[in-house]
Amino acid sequence: MTSELPPSKTPLLDEVHFPADLRQLPEKDLRQLADELRAEMIEAVSITGGHLGAGLGVVELTVALHYVFNTPDDKLIWDVGHQAYPHKILTGRRERIRTLRQGGGLSGFTRRSESEYDPFGAAHSSTSISAALGMAVARDLKGESRNVIAVIGDGAMSAGMAYEAMNNAGSMKSRLVVILNDNDMSIAPPVGAMSAYLSRLISSKSYRAARSAAKAVTEKLPRPLKNAAKRAEEYARGMVTGGTLFEELGFYYVGPIDGHNLEHLLPVLKNVRDMKEPRPVLVHVVTQKGHGYAPAEAAEDKYHGVGKFDVVTGAQAKVKAAAPSYTRVFADALIAEAEKDERIIALTAAMPSGTGIDLFAKRFPERSFDVGIAEQHAVTFAAGLATEGFKPFATIYSTFLQRAYDQVVHDVAIQQLPVRFALDRAGLVGADGATHAGAFDVAYLGCLPGFVIMAAADEAELVHMVATQVAIDDRPSALRYPRGEGFGVQLPTQGVQLQLGKGRILREGTSVAIVSFGARLHEALAAADMLATFGLSATVADARFAKPLDTDMMRRLAREHEVMITIEEGSIGGFGTQVMQYLALEGALDTGVKFRPMTLPDVFLEHDSPAKQYAEAGLDAAHIVATAMAALGRNGDYLASAAVSGLKRP
């Protein structure tokens, strides 16, 4: 007797492997498919963790877009790719969806190398309209006819780049569809049946034909009457739809419509698909972040980013922290300094909880500012505050500060304004992968004259460095610290100002000098212990500063050791380059010391656990030892010992 398998919870989704399969379904089945897709996404993210709320909000929109448009021939570009989990499930990646953000698994964002259905990679926001316009113009130049659709939202409209792209698109005769996923009601008036009817009407061919005929008539009128008629028509449409801003930017505006109602979405998207006029169209879709999953709907952040969780209750798995996170230590240290100095201001660019500025805001709401996804503005806003004697802390992820480099150079560095940059997520970040890794800040800030650049070796050093930044009043400064937990060291009761450009020696030795800049210090100490087993005495130093450099310490270490190794959680061009440049100009490398800089490799590292990423990058204790032994001509001894004793081999 054979046992029957239980019926599938997702019978329709089981038949949809690619969007072509989806387009074979009758429209009446799409509601059920959307429900199954939402359930599949919730279950998958409960296992892997990741971004949940944004994807839940676009389930129906994702189904409708792939149903109406002929993807992948039609190009569908998702802004802030963490909205795209439902899209991944529908585009041939369902079998791998439970590998999201895991080593060797699917990326948490859209990625060109992952699928032909991802025409543009996106992990930083507000790029979709620019990229889509480029694809639309390329299509026109090649004489093709495919649709190009950009889906922007989840805060991405707070960035100026989106409006720059819209302004450009509106002045061009290129057919482009922009879907504005308005998931926080910041723009939209109420939506309902009347709004859906009007959206369907103004996107219909008959309405557009009548509008074109009316325009043809008004073209024959005298200029004053023609202009008056144009303004009246725009005003009337603006009163009905609320889309005056987008019309002024040159877009044909449709909306707002309910993004969870397929009966509203499908006819409007079909009308937009069938438009042949060479102009951009914006469809304003209102959605709810976290929609369809009660715990997410009830949460303040709509479960924007989650760890593993229980699907039934929504309770996230609690991992007992061995030590406070660097982010929390920074926030507490800044709050403590702000208690003493009312000139301290905290700024962030749409990441208040990620940077700890939400904690600062609870204590000092009048001195805390979240400027939205607008890093360029954040930097120059901070510069303006600094001109008036305030002490702004621009608290921005290292990878996001890249977006404001011109402002850092022109508005801060050249004017030598004391803006304090607190760079969270410095170094490798694990599951978020290359797009969010803070790999380049030491290099791109270190080349700017007058900058003070610090890196915290542990959470106690972080507290002292916050106090040091508070005291720097004559130049810009940057403090970098990693993601995740600290090392559990004893925290000081209050921060103490460090002497600028002075490092510290933690262990004295004679053969090898290991100079760490940042949180690799503990790996350097472990490497020193391993070197001792080979009869090699190692000095371990914490540089603390990349600029100004502790030249006395560097000169001494180069003079007194056979091998000198620098190690940092950053790219070439950073701390090691600063040291090497100084020693070379001093002539310290002409004879004697064998200098070996250890940096992140010249590749974008795949997402994985941070420990595995650092091992792959060659920035762990085993690789420090191997580097030292190779410089001494004893790498064979090391490899033989590793084989016998089980030491980790690089």
Side-chain angles (χ1 to χ4, degrees), residues 15 39 93 100 124 206 221 267 275 319 379 557 568 592 598:
E15 300 301 317
R93 288 169 276 184
L100 265 172
H124 292 189
S206 57
L221 298 174
M275 288 183 181
V319 179
V379 170
L557 294 176
E568 61 192 295
M598 297 182 69

Side-chain angles (χ1 to χ4, degrees), residues 29-46:
D29 287 347
L30 297 186
R31 176 69 267 166
Q32 179 183 336
L33 179 74
D35 292 341
E36 293 179 10
L37 178 59
R38 179 172 278 108
E40 176 73 358
M41 179 191 161
I42 292 169
E43 183 177 318
V45 179
S46 76

Side-chain angles (χ1 to χ4, degrees), residues 112-135:
R112 281 173 53 82
S113 61
E114 193 175 279
S115 171
E116 64 178 331
Y117 291 90
D118 292 0
F120 200 77
H124 292 189
S125 84
S126 315
T127 60
S128 62
I129 303 176
S130 298
L133 180 60
M135 293 180 194

Side-chain angles (χ1 to χ4, degrees), residues 300-320:
E300 186 176 343
D301 68 349
K302 307 301 181 187
Y303 277 38
H304 174 76
V306 297
K308 299 176 182 180
F309 63 93
D310 181 270
V311 173
V312 176
T313 66
Q316 297 187 50
K318 298 291 185 183
V319 179
K320 188 173 173 95

Side-chain angles (χ1 to χ4, degrees), residues 37 41 44-45 48-52 54-56 58 62 78 81-91 93 97 100-101 107-110 304 432:
L37 178 59
M41 179 191 161
V45 179
T48 65
H51 294 94
L52 183 65
L56 290 176
V58 297
T62 304
W78 291 91
H82 63 239
Q83 297 184 85
Y85 293 4
H87 160 82
K88 291 190 180 223
I89 294 171
L90 291 179
T91 55
R93 288 169 276 184
I97 198 65
L100 265 172
R101 296 159 49 88
S107 169
F109 308 99
T110 52
H304 174 76
D432 283 335

Side-chain angles (χ1 to χ4, degrees), residues 592-603:
V593 70
K594 300 177 177 69
F595 184 83
R596 300 291 187 270
M598 297 182 69
T599 67
L600 290 175
D602 194 27
V603 297

Side-chain angles (χ1 to χ4, degrees), residues 300 328 335 356-366 368:
E300 186 176 343
R328 180 59 189 252
I335 290 168
I357 298 305
D358 59 336
L359 302 174
F360 187 95
K362 289 178 182 177
R363 178 64 186 86
F364 300 107
E366 73 287 354
S368 175

